[in-house]
Coordinates of all heavy atoms in Angstrom, one line a residue:
M1 N 16.8 19.3 -15.8 CA 16.2 19.0 -14.5 C 17.1 19.4 -13.4 O 18.3 19.2 -13.4 CB 15.9 17.5 -14.5 CG 15.3 17.1 -13.1 SD 15.0 15.3 -13.0 CE 13.6 15.2 -14.0
S2 N 16.5 20.1 -12.4 CA 17.4 20.5 -11.3 C 17.6 19.4 -10.3 O 16.8 18.4 -10.2 CB 16.7 21.7 -10.5 OG 15.5 21.2 -10.0
S3 N 18.8 19.4 -9.7 CA 19.1 18.3 -8.8 C 18.4 18.6 -7.4 O 18.1 19.7 -7.1 CB 20.6 18.3 -8.6 OG 21.1 19.5 -8.0
L4 N 18.2 17.5 -6.7 CA 17.6 17.6 -5.4 C 18.6 18.1 -4.4 O 19.7 17.7 -4.3 CB 17.1 16.2 -4.9 CG 16.0 15.6 -5.7 CD1 15.7 14.2 -5.3 CD2 14.7 16.4 -5.6
S5 N 18.2 19.0 -3.6 CA 19.0 19.6 -2.6 C 19.0 18.8 -1.3 O 18.1 18.0 -1.1 CB 18.7 21.1 -2.3 OG 17.4 21.1 -1.6
R6 N 20.0 19.0 -0.4 CA 20.0 18.4 0.9 C 18.7 18.8 1.7 O 18.1 18.0 2.4 CB 21.2 18.8 1.7 CG 22.5 18.2 1.2 CD 23.7 18.6 2.0 NE 23.8 17.8 3.2 CZ 23.6 18.4 4.5 NH1 23.3 19.7 4.6 NH2 23.7 17.6 5.5
D7 N 18.3 20.0 1.5 CA 17.1 20.5 2.3 C 15.9 19.8 1.8 O 15.0 19.5 2.7 CB 16.9 22.0 2.1 CG 18.0 22.8 2.8 OD1 18.7 22.3 3.7 OD2 18.3 24.0 2.4
E8 N 15.7 19.5 0.5 CA 14.6 18.8 0.0 C 14.6 17.4 0.5 O 13.5 16.8 1.0 CB 14.5 18.8 -1.5 CG 14.3 20.2 -2.1 CD 14.5 20.3 -3.6 OE1 15.4 19.6 -4.1 OE2 13.7 20.9 -4.2
V9 N 15.7 16.7 0.6 CA 15.9 15.4 1.1 C 15.6 15.4 2.6 O 14.8 14.5 3.1 CB 17.2 14.8 0.8 CG1 17.4 13.4 1.5 CG2 17.5 14.7 -0.7
A10 N 16.1 16.3 3.3 CA 15.8 16.4 4.7 C 14.3 16.6 5.0 O 13.7 16.1 5.9 CB 16.6 17.6 5.3
H11 N 13.7 17.4 4.1 CA 12.2 17.7 4.3 C 11.4 16.4 4.1 O 10.5 16.0 4.9 CB 11.8 18.7 3.3 CG 10.3 19.0 3.3 ND1 9.6 19.6 4.4 CD2 9.3 18.6 2.4 CE1 8.3 19.7 4.1 NE2 8.1 19.1 2.9
V12 N 11.8 15.6 3.0 CA 11.1 14.4 2.8 C 11.3 13.4 3.9 O 10.4 12.7 4.4 CB 11.5 13.8 1.4 CG1 10.9 12.4 1.2 CG2 11.0 14.7 0.3
A13 N 12.6 13.3 4.4 CA 12.9 12.4 5.5 C 12.1 12.8 6.7 O 11.7 11.9 7.5 CB 14.4 12.5 5.7
G14 N 12.0 14.1 6.9 CA 11.2 14.6 8.1 C 9.7 14.2 8.0 O 9.1 13.8 9.0
L15 N 9.2 14.2 6.8 CA 7.8 13.8 6.6 C 7.6 12.3 6.8 O 6.6 11.9 7.3 CB 7.3 14.1 5.1 CG 7.2 15.6 4.8 CD1 6.9 15.8 3.3 CD2 6.1 16.3 5.6
A16 N 8.7 11.5 6.5 CA 8.6 10.1 6.7 C 9.1 9.7 8.1 O 9.2 8.6 8.5 CB 9.5 9.4 5.7
R17 N 9.5 10.8 8.9 CA 10.0 10.6 10.3 C 11.2 9.7 10.3 O 11.3 8.8 11.1 CB 8.9 10.0 11.2 CG 7.7 11.0 11.3 CD 6.6 10.4 12.1 NE 5.4 11.2 12.0 CZ 4.9 12.0 13.0 NH1 5.5 12.1 14.1 NH2 3.8 12.7 12.8
I18 N 12.1 10.0 9.4 CA 13.4 9.2 9.3 C 14.5 10.2 9.7 O 14.6 11.3 9.0 CB 13.6 8.7 7.9 CG1 12.5 7.7 7.5 CG2 15.0 8.0 7.8 CD1 12.6 7.2 6.1
H19 N 15.3 9.9 10.7 CA 16.4 10.7 11.0 C 17.6 10.4 10.2 O 18.0 9.2 10.1 CB 16.7 10.6 12.5 CG 17.9 11.4 12.9 ND1 17.9 12.7 13.0 CD2 19.2 11.0 13.2 CE1 19.1 13.2 13.3 NE2 19.9 12.1 13.5
L20 N 18.2 11.3 9.5 CA 19.3 11.1 8.7 C 20.5 12.0 9.1 O 20.3 13.2 9.4 CB 19.0 11.4 7.2 CG 18.0 10.6 6.5 CD1 17.7 11.1 5.1 CD2 18.4 9.1 6.5
S21 N 21.7 11.5 9.1 CA 22.9 12.3 9.4 C 23.2 13.2 8.3 O 22.7 13.0 7.2 CB 24.0 11.3 9.8 OG 24.4 10.6 8.6
D22 N 24.1 14.1 8.5 CA 24.5 15.0 7.4 C 25.1 14.2 6.2 O 24.9 14.5 5.0 CB 25.5 16.0 7.9 CG 24.9 17.1 8.8 OD1 23.6 17.2 8.7 OD2 25.6 17.7 9.6
E23 N 25.9 13.2 6.6 CA 26.5 12.3 5.5 C 25.5 11.6 4.7 O 25.6 11.5 3.5 CB 27.5 11.3 6.2 CG 28.2 10.4 5.2 CD 29.2 9.5 5.9 OE1 30.0 9.9 6.7 OE2 29.0 8.3 5.7
E24 N 24.5 11.1 5.4 CA 23.4 10.3 4.8 C 22.6 11.3 3.9 O 22.2 10.9 2.8 CB 22.5 9.7 5.8 CG 23.1 8.5 6.5 CD 22.3 8.0 7.6 OE1 21.6 8.8 8.3 OE2 22.2 6.8 7.8
L25 N 22.4 12.5 4.3 CA 21.7 13.5 3.5 C 22.4 13.7 2.2 O 21.8 13.8 1.1 CB 21.4 14.8 4.2 CG 20.4 14.8 5.3 CD1 20.4 16.1 6.1 CD2 19.0 14.5 4.7
D26 N 23.7 13.9 2.3 CA 24.5 14.1 1.0 C 24.4 12.9 0.1 O 24.3 13.0 -1.1 CB 26.0 14.4 1.4 CG 26.2 15.7 2.1 OD1 25.3 16.6 1.8 OD2 27.1 15.9 2.9
T27 N 24.6 11.7 0.7 CA 24.5 10.5 -0.1 C 23.2 10.3 -0.8 O 23.1 10.1 -2.0 CB 24.8 9.2 0.8 OG1 26.1 9.4 1.4 CG2 24.8 8.0 0.0
F28 N 22.1 10.4 0.0 CA 20.7 10.2 -0.5 C 20.3 11.3 -1.5 O 19.6 11.0 -2.4 CB 19.7 10.1 0.6 CG 19.9 8.8 1.4 CD1 19.7 8.9 2.8 CD2 20.2 7.6 0.8 CE1 19.8 7.7 3.5 CE2 20.3 6.5 1.6 CZ 20.1 6.5 2.9
A29 N 20.8 12.5 -1.3 CA 20.5 13.6 -2.3 C 21.0 13.2 -3.7 O 20.2 13.3 -4.7 CB 21.1 14.9 -1.8
G30 N 22.2 12.7 -3.8 CA 22.7 12.3 -5.1 C 22.0 11.0 -5.6 O 21.7 11.0 -6.8
Q31 N 21.7 10.1 -4.7 CA 21.0 8.9 -5.2 C 19.6 9.1 -5.6 O 19.2 8.6 -6.7 CB 21.0 7.8 -4.1 CG 22.4 7.2 -3.8 CD 22.4 6.3 -2.6 OE1 21.4 6.2 -1.9 NE2 23.5 5.6 -2.4
L32 N 18.9 9.9 -4.9 CA 17.5 10.3 -5.2 C 17.4 11.1 -6.5 O 16.5 10.9 -7.3 CB 16.8 11.0 -4.1 CG 16.5 10.1 -2.9 CD1 16.0 10.9 -1.7 CD2 15.5 9.0 -3.2
D33 N 18.4 12.0 -6.7 CA 18.5 12.7 -7.9 C 18.7 11.8 -9.1 O 18.0 12.0 -10.2 CB 19.6 13.8 -7.9 CG 19.5 14.8 -9.0 OD1 18.4 15.3 -9.2 OD2 20.6 14.9 -9.7
S34 N 19.5 10.8 -9.0 CA 19.7 9.8 -10.1 C 18.4 9.1 -10.3 O 18.0 8.8 -11.5 CB 20.8 8.8 -9.7 OG 22.0 9.5 -9.6
I35 N 17.7 8.7 -9.3 CA 16.4 7.9 -9.5 C 15.4 8.8 -10.2 O 14.7 8.3 -11.1 CB 15.9 7.5 -8.1 CG1 16.8 6.4 -7.5 CG2 14.5 7.0 -8.2 CD1 16.5 6.0 -6.1
V36 N 15.3 10.1 -9.8 CA 14.4 11.0 -10.5 C 14.7 11.1 -11.9 O 13.9 11.2 -12.8 CB 14.3 12.3 -9.7 CG1 13.6 13.4 -10.6 CG2 13.7 12.2 -8.4
G37 N 16.0 11.2 -12.2 CA 16.5 11.2 -13.6 C 16.1 10.0 -14.4 O 15.7 10.1 -15.6
F38 N 16.3 8.8 -13.8 CA 15.9 7.6 -14.5 C 14.4 7.5 -14.8 O 14.0 7.1 -15.9 CB 16.3 6.4 -13.7 CG 17.8 6.2 -13.5 CD1 18.3 5.8 -12.3 CD2 18.7 6.5 -14.5 CE1 19.7 5.7 -12.1 CE2 20.1 6.4 -14.3 CZ 20.5 6.0 -13.1
V39 N 13.6 8.0 -13.8 CA 12.2 8.0 -14.1 C 11.8 9.0 -15.2 O 10.9 8.7 -16.0 CB 11.4 8.3 -12.7 CG1 9.9 8.5 -13.0 CG2 11.6 7.2 -11.7
A40 N 12.5 10.1 -15.2 CA 12.2 11.1 -16.2 C 12.6 10.6 -17.6 O 11.9 10.9 -18.6 CB 13.0 12.4 -15.9
S41 N 13.6 9.7 -17.7 CA 14.0 9.2 -19.0 C 12.9 8.2 -19.6 O 12.9 8.0 -20.8 CB 15.3 8.4 -18.9 OG 15.2 7.2 -18.1
V42 N 12.1 7.6 -18.7 CA 11.0 6.8 -19.2 C 10.0 7.7 -20.0 O 9.5 7.2 -21.0 CB 10.3 6.1 -18.0 CG1 9.0 5.4 -18.5 CG2 11.2 5.1 -17.3
N43 N 9.8 8.9 -19.6 CA 8.9 9.8 -20.3 C 9.4 10.1 -21.7 O 8.7 10.3 -22.6 CB 8.7 11.1 -19.5 CG 7.8 10.9 -18.4 OD1 7.0 9.9 -18.3 ND2 7.9 11.7 -17.4
E44 N 10.8 10.1 -21.8 CA 11.3 10.4 -23.1 C 11.2 9.2 -24.1 O 11.0 9.4 -25.3 CB 12.8 10.7 -23.0 CG 13.1 12.0 -22.2 CD 14.6 12.1 -21.9 OE1 15.4 11.3 -22.3 OE2 14.9 13.0 -21.1
A45 N 11.1 8.0 -23.6 CA 11.0 6.8 -24.4 C 9.6 6.6 -24.9 O 9.3 6.0 -25.9 CB 11.5 5.6 -23.6
A46 N 8.6 7.2 -24.2 CA 7.2 6.9 -24.5 C 6.9 7.7 -25.8 O 7.3 8.8 -26.0 CB 6.3 7.4 -23.4
A47 N 6.2 7.0 -26.7 CA 5.8 7.6 -28.0 C 4.4 8.2 -27.8 O 3.6 7.8 -27.0 CB 5.8 6.6 -29.1
D48 N 4.1 9.3 -28.6 CA 2.8 10.0 -28.5 C 1.7 9.1 -29.0 O 0.5 9.3 -28.6 CB 2.9 11.3 -29.3 CG 3.8 12.3 -28.7 OD1 4.0 12.2 -27.4 OD2 4.3 13.1 -29.4
D49 N 2.0 8.1 -29.9 CA 0.9 7.3 -30.4 C 0.6 6.1 -29.6 O -0.3 5.3 -29.9 CB 1.2 6.9 -31.8 CG 2.5 6.1 -31.9 OD1 3.4 6.2 -31.0 OD2 2.7 5.4 -32.9
I50 N 1.3 5.9 -28.4 CA 1.1 4.8 -27.6 C 0.4 5.2 -26.3 O 0.9 6.1 -25.6 CB 2.4 4.1 -27.2 CG1 3.1 3.6 -28.5 CG2 2.1 2.9 -26.2 CD1 4.4 3.0 -28.2
P51 N -0.8 4.8 -26.1 CA -1.6 5.2 -24.9 C -0.9 4.7 -23.6 O -0.4 3.6 -23.6 CB -3.0 4.7 -25.1 CG -2.8 3.5 -25.9 CD -1.6 3.8 -26.8
P52 N -1.0 5.5 -22.5 CA -0.5 5.0 -21.2 C -1.3 3.7 -20.8 O -2.5 3.6 -21.0 CB -0.7 6.1 -20.2 CG -1.1 7.3 -21.1 CD -1.5 6.8 -22.4
M53 N -0.6 2.8 -20.2 CA -1.3 1.6 -19.7 C -0.7 1.1 -18.4 O 0.5 1.4 -18.1 CB -1.2 0.5 -20.8 CG 0.2 0.0 -21.1 SD 0.3 -1.2 -22.4 CE 0.6 -0.1 -23.8
S54 N -1.5 0.3 -17.7 CA -1.0 -0.2 -16.4 C -0.5 -1.6 -16.6 O 0.2 -2.1 -15.7 CB -2.1 -0.2 -15.4 OG -3.2 -1.0 -15.8
H55 N -0.8 -2.2 -17.7 CA -0.4 -3.6 -17.9 C -0.2 -3.8 -19.4 O -1.0 -3.3 -20.2 CB -1.5 -4.6 -17.4 CG -1.0 -6.0 -17.2 ND1 -1.0 -6.9 -18.2 CD2 -0.5 -6.6 -16.1 CE1 -0.5 -8.0 -17.7 NE2 -0.2 -7.9 -16.4
P56 N 0.8 -4.6 -19.8 CA 1.1 -4.7 -21.3 C 0.1 -5.6 -22.0 O -0.1 -5.5 -23.2 CB 2.5 -5.4 -21.3 CG 2.6 -6.0 -20.0 CD 1.9 -5.2 -19.0
L57 N -0.7 -6.4 -21.3 CA -1.7 -7.3 -21.9 C -3.0 -6.9 -21.4 O -3.2 -6.5 -20.3 CB -1.4 -8.8 -21.5 CG 0.0 -9.3 -21.8 CD1 0.1 -10.7 -21.2 CD2 0.2 -9.4 -23.3
P58 N -4.0 -7.0 -22.3 CA -5.4 -6.7 -21.8 C -5.9 -7.6 -20.7 O -5.6 -8.8 -20.8 CB -6.2 -6.8 -23.1 CG -5.4 -7.7 -24.0 CD -4.0 -7.5 -23.7
L59 N -6.5 -7.1 -19.7 CA -7.0 -7.9 -18.6 C -8.5 -7.9 -18.7 O -9.2 -6.9 -19.0 CB -6.6 -7.3 -17.3 CG -5.1 -7.2 -17.0 CD1 -4.8 -6.5 -15.7 CD2 -4.5 -8.6 -17.0
T60 N -9.1 -9.0 -18.3 CA -10.5 -9.2 -18.3 C -10.9 -9.6 -16.9 O -10.3 -10.6 -16.4 CB -11.1 -10.2 -19.3 OG1 -10.6 -9.8 -20.6 CG2 -12.6 -10.3 -19.3
N61 N -11.8 -8.9 -16.2 CA -12.2 -9.3 -14.9 C -13.2 -10.4 -15.0 O -14.3 -10.3 -15.6 CB -12.9 -8.1 -14.2 CG -13.1 -8.4 -12.7 OD1 -12.6 -9.4 -12.2 ND2 -13.7 -7.4 -12.1
V62 N -12.9 -11.6 -14.5 CA -13.8 -12.8 -14.6 C -14.6 -12.8 -13.3 O -14.0 -12.9 -12.2 CB -12.9 -14.0 -14.7 CG1 -13.8 -15.3 -14.8 CG2 -12.0 -14.0 -15.9
T63 N -15.9 -12.7 -13.4 CA -16.8 -12.7 -12.3 C -17.9 -13.7 -12.6 O -18.1 -14.1 -13.7 CB -17.4 -11.3 -12.0 OG1 -18.1 -10.9 -13.1 CG2 -16.3 -10.3 -11.7
R64 N -18.6 -14.0 -11.5 CA -19.8 -14.8 -11.7 C -20.9 -14.1 -11.0 O -20.7 -13.3 -10.1 CB -19.6 -16.2 -11.1 CG -19.3 -16.2 -9.6 CD -19.3 -17.6 -9.0 NE -18.8 -17.6 -7.6 CZ -19.5 -17.2 -6.6 NH1 -20.7 -16.7 -6.8 NH2 -19.0 -17.2 -5.4
P65 N -22.1 -14.4 -11.4 CA -23.3 -13.7 -10.7 C -23.4 -14.3 -9.3 O -23.1 -15.4 -9.0 CB -24.5 -14.2 -11.6 CG -24.0 -15.3 -12.4 CD -22.5 -15.3 -12.5
D66 N -23.9 -13.4 -8.4 CA -24.1 -13.8 -7.1 C -25.4 -14.7 -7.0 O -26.4 -14.3 -7.6 CB -24.4 -12.6 -6.2 CG -23.1 -11.8 -5.9 OD1 -22.0 -12.4 -6.1 OD2 -23.2 -10.6 -5.6
E67 N -25.3 -15.8 -6.3 CA -26.4 -16.7 -6.2 C -26.5 -17.0 -4.7 O -25.5 -17.3 -4.0 CB -26.1 -18.0 -7.0 CG -26.0 -17.8 -8.5 CD -25.7 -19.0 -9.2 OE1 -25.7 -20.1 -8.6 OE2 -25.5 -19.0 -10.4
V68 N -27.8 -17.0 -4.3 CA -28.0 -17.4 -2.9 C -27.9 -18.9 -2.8 O -28.5 -19.7 -3.6 CB -29.5 -16.9 -2.5 CG1 -29.7 -17.4 -1.0 CG2 -29.6 -15.4 -2.6
R69 N -27.1 -19.4 -1.8 CA -26.9 -20.8 -1.6 C -27.1 -21.1 -0.2 O -26.9 -20.2 0.7 CB -25.4 -21.2 -2.0 CG -25.1 -20.9 -3.4 CD -23.6 -21.4 -3.7 NE -23.3 -21.1 -5.0 CZ -22.1 -21.4 -5.5 NH1 -21.1 -21.9 -4.8 NH2 -21.8 -21.1 -6.8
P70 N -27.4 -22.3 0.1 CA -27.6 -22.7 1.6 C -26.3 -22.5 2.3 O -25.2 -22.8 1.7 CB -28.0 -24.1 1.5 CG -28.3 -24.5 0.1 CD -27.7 -23.4 -0.8
S71 N -26.3 -22.0 3.5 CA -25.1 -21.9 4.3 C -25.4 -22.1 5.8 O -26.6 -22.4 6.1 CB -24.5 -20.5 4.1 OG -25.4 -19.5 4.5
L72 N -24.4 -22.0 6.6 CA -24.6 -22.2 8.0 C -25.4 -21.0 8.7 O -25.3 -19.9 8.3 CB -23.3 -22.3 8.8 CG -22.3 -23.4 8.4 CD1 -21.0 -23.2 9.1 CD2 -22.9 -24.7 8.7
T73 N -26.2 -21.4 9.6 CA -26.9 -20.3 10.4 C -25.8 -19.8 11.4 O -24.8 -20.4 11.6 CB -28.1 -20.9 11.2 OG1 -27.6 -21.8 12.2 CG2 -29.1 -21.6 10.3
A74 N -26.2 -18.7 12.0 CA -25.2 -18.1 13.0 C -25.0 -19.1 14.2 O -23.8 -19.2 14.6 CB -25.8 -16.8 13.5
D75 N -26.0 -19.7 14.6 CA -25.8 -20.7 15.7 C -24.9 -21.9 15.3 O -24.1 -22.3 16.1 CB -27.2 -21.2 16.2 CG -28.0 -20.1 16.9 OD1 -27.3 -19.2 17.5 OD2 -29.2 -20.2 16.9
E76 N -25.1 -22.3 14.1 CA -24.3 -23.4 13.6 C -22.8 -23.0 13.4 O -21.9 -23.7 13.8 CB -24.8 -24.0 12.2 CG -26.1 -24.7 12.3 CD -26.7 -25.0 11.0 OE1 -26.4 -24.2 10.0 OE2 -27.4 -26.0 10.9
A77 N -22.6 -21.8 12.9 CA -21.2 -21.3 12.7 C -20.5 -21.1 14.1 O -19.3 -21.3 14.2 CB -21.2 -20.0 12.0
L78 N -21.3 -20.7 15.1 CA -20.7 -20.4 16.4 C -20.7 -21.6 17.3 O -20.2 -21.5 18.4 CB -21.4 -19.2 17.1 CG -21.3 -17.9 16.4 CD1 -22.3 -16.9 17.0 CD2 -19.9 -17.4 16.5
S79 N -21.2 -22.7 16.9 CA -21.3 -23.9 17.7 C -20.0 -24.4 18.2 O -19.9 -25.0 19.3 CB -22.1 -25.0 17.0 OG -21.3 -25.5 15.9
G80 N -18.9 -24.3 17.5 CA -17.6 -24.7 17.9 C -16.7 -23.7 18.5 O -15.6 -23.9 18.9
A81 N -17.3 -22.5 18.7 CA -16.5 -21.4 19.3 C -16.4 -21.5 20.8 O -17.4 -21.9 21.4 CB -17.1 -20.0 18.9
P82 N -15.2 -21.2 21.4 CA -15.1 -21.3 22.8 C -16.0 -20.3 23.5 O -16.5 -20.5 24.6 CB -13.7 -21.0 23.1 CG -13.0 -20.8 21.8 CD -14.0 -20.9 20.7
A83 N -16.3 -19.1 22.9 CA -17.1 -18.1 23.5 C -17.7 -17.3 22.3 O -17.1 -17.1 21.3 CB -16.3 -17.2 24.4
N84 N -19.0 -16.8 22.6 CA -19.6 -15.9 21.6 C -20.5 -14.9 22.3 O -20.9 -15.2 23.5 CB -20.3 -16.7 20.5 CG -21.5 -17.5 21.1 OD1 -22.5 -16.9 21.5 ND2 -21.4 -18.8 21.1
E85 N -20.8 -13.8 21.6 CA -21.6 -12.8 22.2 C -22.3 -12.1 21.1 O -21.7 -11.7 20.1 CB -20.7 -11.8 23.0 CG -21.5 -10.7 23.7 CD -20.6 -9.8 24.5 OE1 -20.1 -10.2 25.6 OE2 -20.3 -8.7 24.0
Q86 N -23.6 -11.9 21.2 CA -24.4 -11.2 20.2 C -24.2 -11.8 18.8 O -24.0 -11.1 17.8 CB -24.2 -9.7 20.2 CG -24.5 -9.1 21.5 CD -24.2 -7.6 21.5 OE1 -23.6 -7.1 20.5 NE2 -24.6 -6.9 22.5
Q87 N -24.2 -13.1 18.7 CA -24.0 -13.9 17.4 C -22.6 -13.5 16.7 O -22.5 -13.4 15.5 CB -25.1 -13.6 16.5 CG -26.4 -14.2 16.9 CD -27.5 -14.2 15.9 OE1 -27.5 -13.4 15.0 NE2 -28.4 -15.2 16.0
R88 N -21.6 -13.3 17.6 CA -20.3 -13.0 17.1 C -19.3 -13.8 17.9 O -19.5 -14.1 19.1 CB -19.9 -11.5 17.2 CG -20.8 -10.6 16.4 CD -20.3 -9.2 16.4 NE -21.2 -8.4 15.6 CZ -21.9 -7.4 16.1 NH1 -21.9 -7.1 17.4 NH2 -22.6 -6.7 15.3
F89 N -18.1 -14.1 17.3 CA -17.0 -14.7 18.1 C -16.5 -13.8 19.1 O -16.3 -12.6 18.9 CB -15.9 -15.1 17.2 CG -16.2 -16.2 16.2 CD1 -16.5 -15.9 14.9 CD2 -16.2 -17.5 16.6 CE1 -16.8 -16.9 13.9 CE2 -16.5 -18.5 15.7 CZ -16.8 -18.2 14.3
L90 N -16.3 -14.2 20.3 CA -15.8 -13.4 21.4 C -14.4 -13.8 21.6 O -14.0 -14.9 21.9 CB -16.6 -13.7 22.7 CG -16.3 -12.8 23.9 CD1 -16.5 -11.4 23.6 CD2 -17.1 -13.2 25.1
V91 N -13.5 -12.8 21.5 CA -12.1 -13.0 21.6 C -11.5 -12.1 22.7 O -12.1 -11.0 22.9 CB -11.3 -12.8 20.3 CG1 -11.8 -13.8 19.2 CG2 -11.5 -11.4 19.7
P92 N -10.4 -12.4 23.3 CA -9.8 -11.5 24.2 C -9.3 -10.2 23.6 O -8.9 -10.1 22.5 CB -8.5 -12.3 24.7 CG -8.7 -13.7 24.3 CD -9.6 -13.6 23.1
R93 N -9.5 -9.1 24.4 CA -9.1 -7.8 23.9 C -7.6 -7.7 23.9 O -6.9 -8.1 24.9 CB -9.7 -6.7 24.8 CG -9.3 -5.3 24.4 CD -9.9 -4.3 25.3 NE -11.3 -4.3 25.3 CZ -12.1 -3.6 24.4 NH1 -11.6 -2.9 23.5 NH2 -13.4 -3.7 24.5
I94 N -7.0 -7.3 22.8 CA -5.5 -7.1 22.8 C -5.1 -5.6 22.7 O -3.9 -5.3 22.9 CB -4.9 -7.9 21.6 CG1 -5.5 -7.4 20.3 CG2 -5.1 -9.4 21.8 CD1 -4.8 -7.9 19.0
L95 N -6.0 -4.8 22.4 CA -5.7 -3.3 22.3 C -6.5 -2.6 23.4 O -7.6 -2.9 23.7 CB -6.1 -2.8 20.9 CG -5.4 -3.4 19.8 CD1 -5.9 -2.8 18.5 CD2 -3.9 -3.2 19.8
S96 N -5.9 -1.6 24.0 CA -6.6 -0.8 25.0 C -7.4 0.3 24.3 O -7.3 0.5 23.1 CB -5.6 -0.2 26.0 OG -4.8 0.7 25.3
E97 N -8.2 0.9 25.1 CA -9.1 2.0 24.5 C -8.3 3.3 24.3 O -8.8 4.2 23.8 CB -10.2 2.3 25.5 CG -11.2 1.1 25.6 CD -12.0 0.9 24.4 OE1 -12.3 1.9 23.7 OE2 -12.3 -0.3 24.0
D98 N -7.1 3.4 24.8 CA -6.3 4.6 24.6 C -6.1 5.0 23.2 O -5.7 4.5 22.4 CB -4.9 4.4 25.3 CG -5.1 4.1 26.8 OD1 -6.2 4.1 27.3 OD2 -4.0 3.9 27.4

């Protein structure tokens, strides 16, 4: 496996908008190359007869059927709100349109 170059680390840092000094580029290039090597070693440990999996134990999604139940009307839900508009809670704007 080829080692990561400073230029590759600088490129990735640029994509992430992270400014790195020359010393940091040298340090991270070595560290990231080690990490890539460790991840590659996992592929060597995997056996061909073992299928890839996301979890070591089987998972079962437990769901229940949707049932219509009595609930609050819009007016009842908004009855305690300090302000509402068009059957919705009215809150102060915190973001501008920009």
Side-chain angles (χ1 to χ4, degrees):
M1 174 182 290
S2 64
S3 63
L4 293 173
S5 69
R6 288 180 78 247
D7 291 337
E8 291 169 322
V9 174
H11 176 71
V12 172
L15 294 173
R17 299 177 191 252
I18 299 172
H19 176 72
L20 298 176
S21 67
D22 289 338
E23 182 180 306
E24 290 172 323
L25 286 172
D26 291 332
T27 301
F28 291 142
Q31 290 176 351
L32 290 173
D33 189 50
S34 296
I35 292 169
V36 169
F38 296 142
V39 171
S41 69
V42 172
N43 287 335
E44 295 171 7
D48 293 334
D49 59 337
I50 300 173
M53 62 182 96
S54 63
H55 197 276
L57 302 174
L59 298 176
T60 304
N61 192 7
V62 180
T63 59
R64 60 172 173 75
D66 289 336
E67 297 176 6
V68 177
R69 298 182 184 179
S71 62
L72 299 175
T73 66
D75 290 333
E76 290 171 332
L78 295 170
S79 65
N84 63 70
E85 181 179 284
Q86 297 178 353
Q87 293 190 332
R88 296 186 180 117
F89 293 100
L90 183 63
V91 296
R93 180 179 299 273
I94 59 169
L95 300 176
S96 65
E97 293 292 325
D98 298 357

